[in-house]
Amino acid sequence: MKGRIQFKGEGNRMTVHRYDPASLHADEFINHDEILETLAFAQAHKDDVGLCREILKKAESHLAPAKDHCAVITHREAAVLLACDDAGINEEIRRLAHRIKLAYYGNRIVLFAPLYLSNYCVNGCLYCPYHAENRDIPRHRLTQDEVRAEVVALQDMGHKRLAIEAGEDPVHSPIDYILECMRTIYSIKHENGAIRRVNVNIAATTVEEYRMLKEAEIGTYILFQETYNRERYEELHPTGPKSDYCWHTEAHDRAMEGGIDDVGLGVLFGLEGYAYEFTGLIMHAEHLEAVHGVGPHTISVPRVKPAMDIDPDAFDNGIPDDVFDKIIALIRIAVPYTGMIISTRESQSVRERALRYGISQISGGSRTSVGGYTQEDRPHDTEQFDVSDQRTLDEVVAWLMDNDHIPSFCTACYRAGRTGDRFMQFCKGGQILNYCHPNALMTLMEYLVDYATPATKEKGEAMVRRELLKIPNEATRARTERYLSDIAGGRGNDFRF
């Protein structure tokens, strides 16, 4: 498939774009003609049940931990599975996705919370209430004292991992402000609370500024593409720095060049046809592997939701829940090593299914407004989107355990230097049960001791006893048991493998 040519007019000259996953040019690694050909191929073969089963068999052959961490099926093969509407094939997709999820990530679910620093923005994004033309939304940027108050509120819930968010504004939220907020967040130790990992979701920037984020001990750099269709992208981003499609699409490569080896992808499903977006997303993962030898650390799957000044019905590409479930399952199959994230945009029922099909990280107790965690009542006037799942963190923790998922607050890999290709080798080497599993149990025990309600604590202690027996290495299991006893007895915390 490499080498296809796309001609695009630019003024009085023609630019030739060849599909090349190893290119650093956005129009070549996310090649429009290649996506169209892929979608045509998928439509032509979607009823070929034999081919679909061959693709699933190929994916299943990689179910056991593998030595490399490349995608196991191609974007074209994944597109065929997405297009197939055979009930039997769709059931096989769901079953395989569940098996792959357990093989790579076990039954752990990592918890985090977003922290909105500022809603000032100079961009004109038509799907976001922060857009510069919205004169009705109250604008605010947190002071460092307000950041401290928000972090204390999050620590009092039990959170250990944050994803900081800010609109793009060189005056109100320059890189120096983001870095100062990161220093403030990491500095706060309140009672037994501490934020151990800060992921960053800010606008595309320069290699130099990515280096600054790396030096500030960023966790994962997350940037959503919004849509991979360049024409649609330019319609949706009429003004502001974000209107530059190539600058935005090539940002993860600059982040990698700046030393950030954990990067996260995502599209905003509903802005463009879902099959186009799905194909572009898998192609982007293939590109990162081809160029950097390591794919995306995470993939997020947000859908357009209501918000101030935003009506999702204005976008005619919404996807029903069953298709959304299938997309999640196929991302898990096509990119088995990646962490998959679903936020409180989605309801409890949607998230419950998504956990089975591939999601490994969720937010809990989230507020999507600037300064929202310190307010008793949930503020709506500065929310970026409506929160569908409004349960408390404790309720989410208890619900996860009711569904046989281990709530994990672990940040051990990042703090032990297991990032980028080192994490991928670790993940695919089958070390989940000897490292991630005990780390999840220890961070769960910390939560139970310090923050849980009595009912949740009782439920969690029973889960820890059961799950401890699954650690295959006897020495690791014995050591984990000692650490758990120390945590429960108040003799220490923050143990990790």
Side-chain angles (χ1 to χ4, degrees):
M1 289 181 286
K2 181 176 178 179
R4 286 184 172 80
I5 301 174
Q6 172 191 8
F7 295 94
K8 184 180 177 76
E10 292 187 358
N12 294 321
R13 58 193 177 87
M14 299 296 289
T15 301
V16 178
H17 294 300
R18 298 176 180 269
Y19 171 55
D20 181 2
S23 171
L24 291 175
H25 192 290
D27 285 318
E28 294 178 353
F29 65 80
I30 305 293
N31 184 267
H32 178 65
D33 284 351
E34 171 59 24
I35 295 179
L36 295 184
E37 288 185 31
T38 292
L39 299 184
F41 181 88
Q43 284 300 308
H45 293 84
K46 69 185 181 67
D47 297 323
D48 188 340
V49 173
L51 174 62
C52 291
R53 288 214 164 92
E54 285 179 17
I55 296 170
L56 287 170
K57 186 175 180 180
K58 177 182 176 183
E60 189 174 12
S61 71
H62 290 75
L63 189 57
K67 293 181 180 179
D68 60 31
H69 46 265
C70 295
V72 297
I73 60 174
T74 68
H75 64 271
R76 186 159 291 196
E77 291 168 327
V80 171
L81 294 178
L82 181 62
C84 179
D85 55 13
D86 180 83
I89 292 297
N90 287 338
E91 179 57 30
E92 289 181 40
I93 287 170
R94 289 189 289 268
R95 286 200 302 263
L96 180 57
H98 180 62
R99 291 172 61 200
I100 290 174
K101 157 75 184 307
L102 291 178
Y104 282 86
Y105 282 90
N107 62 333
R108 302 168 304 108
I109 300 296
V110 173
L111 288 154
F112 74 96
L115 174 58
Y116 283 76
L117 302 176
S118 171
N119 62 0
Y120 285 97
C121 193
V122 297
N123 290 310
C125 311
L126 301 184
Y127 50 83
C128 177
Y130 291 178
H131 67 85
E133 297 304 312
N134 186 349
R135 306 302 183 193
D136 298 322
I137 189 170
R139 304 284 179 172
H140 185 60
R141 182 185 87 160
L142 296 181
T143 67
Q144 294 310 302
D145 284 342
E146 289 171 327
V147 171
R148 290 185 187 91
E150 290 281 288
V151 171
V152 166
L154 285 158
Q155 289 177 352
D156 281 344
M157 292 183 200
H159 278 294
K160 305 294 183 188
R161 178 190 301 236
L162 301 183
I164 60 175
E165 318 260 356
E168 183 171 11
D169 190 311
V171 174
H172 292 96
S173 50
I175 191 65
D176 289 344
Y177 171 72
I178 302 299
L179 297 172
E180 183 181 13
C181 289
M182 291 176 67
R183 288 191 294 269
T184 297
I185 292 166
Y186 278 132
S187 73
I188 300 167
K189 306 294 184 285
H190 171 68
E191 296 181 351
N192 290 333
I195 300 303
R196 298 169 180 167
R197 178 172 178 139
V198 177
N199 297 334
V200 177
N201 185 348
I202 60 170
T205 188
T206 63
V207 173
E208 181 182 0
E209 293 193 351
Y210 287 126
R211 287 197 182 102
M212 294 178 184
L213 288 168
K214 177 65 175 179
E215 291 170 1
E217 300 184 358
I218 187 178
T220 301
Y221 174 67
I222 300 169
L223 183 68
F224 297 166
Q225 179 61 27
E226 319 301 2
T227 175
Y228 282 102
N229 186 310
R230 179 169 184 153
E231 182 177 353
R232 182 64 169 146
Y233 181 97
E234 290 173 350
E235 290 174 358
L236 292 166
H237 304 91
T239 59
K242 195 172 178 177
S243 63
D244 187 333
Y245 173 84
C246 289
W247 176 255
H248 186 85
T249 311
E250 296 161 6
H252 298 88
D253 295 296
R254 294 194 300 277
M256 288 278 200
E257 184 181 346
I260 302 174
D261 50 6
D262 280 356
V263 298
L265 305 180
V267 294
L268 185 54
F269 284 102
L271 300 180
E272 175 55 79
Y274 67 84
Y276 192 106
E277 304 291 35
F278 172 81
T279 304
L281 189 59
I282 304 303
M283 289 170 69
H284 204 163
E286 292 170 341
H287 161 71
L288 293 177
E289 291 166 351
V291 175
H292 306 286
V294 57
H297 188 73
T298 61
I299 292 178
S300 300
V301 288
R303 287 191 284 183
V304 177
K305 293 292 180 180
M308 180 184 185
D309 196 43
I310 302 298
D311 178 7
D313 292 337
F315 307 99
D316 57 2
N317 293 293
I319 54 177
D321 288 350
D322 60 336
V323 174
F324 188 54
D325 294 344
K326 187 175 181 180
I327 287 170
I328 291 168
L330 285 172
I331 293 172
R332 174 52 66 208
I333 291 171
V335 198
Y337 57 79
T338 195
M340 289 187 66
I341 301 174
I342 194 167
S343 76
T344 50
R345 286 175 181 262
E346 300 294 345
S347 68
Q348 175 179 336
S349 60
V350 169
R351 301 215 298 171
E352 190 165 314
R353 293 194 307 275
L355 292 172
R356 180 173 178 81
Y357 301 140
I359 295 297
S360 58
Q361 296 185 29
I362 66 171
S363 51
S366 303
R367 297 199 174 184
T368 66
S369 51
V370 180
Y373 293 107
T374 54
Q375 299 184 42
E376 184 175 350
D377 295 324
R378 181 182 296 272
H380 295 289
D381 58 348
T382 60
E383 284 187 316
Q384 190 182 34
F385 56 84
D386 281 356
V387 173
S388 296
D389 188 345
Q390 298 191 6
R391 291 173 296 170
T392 66
L393 179 60
D394 193 80
E395 289 171 331
V396 171
V397 167
W399 164 73
L400 287 173
M401 294 189 294
D402 285 340
N403 287 276
D404 200 33
H405 301 294
I406 304 172
S408 175
F409 297 86
C410 181
T411 59
C413 283
Y414 162 70
R415 297 161 78 205
R418 292 191 294 262
T419 60
D421 59 352
R422 295 173 296 286
F423 170 79
M424 296 301 178
Q425 292 165 3
F426 167 83
C427 176
K428 298 203 66 168
Q431 295 300 314
I432 293 296
L433 285 176
N434 280 323
Y435 286 84
C436 298
H437 195 80
N439 286 337
L441 294 179
M442 290 186 291
T443 60
L444 173 58
M445 182 60 79
E446 288 180 347
Y447 176 84
L448 298 175
V449 170
D450 293 334
Y451 306 104
T453 59
T456 299
K457 184 176 181 180
E458 181 180 359
K459 197 176 296 185
E461 288 172 342
M463 168 167 265
V464 169
R465 288 192 296 271
R466 292 194 309 271
E467 295 289 337
L468 183 64
L469 302 177
K470 295 182 181 179
I471 300 173
N473 184 284
E474 290 185 11
T476 301
R477 186 166 62 248
R479 188 174 163 194
T480 303
E481 195 165 11
R482 290 197 304 273
Y483 289 157
L484 288 167
S485 177
D486 286 343
I487 295 168
R491 295 184 294 276
N493 61 17
D494 199 15
F495 300 109
R496 62 185 185 271
F497 290 93

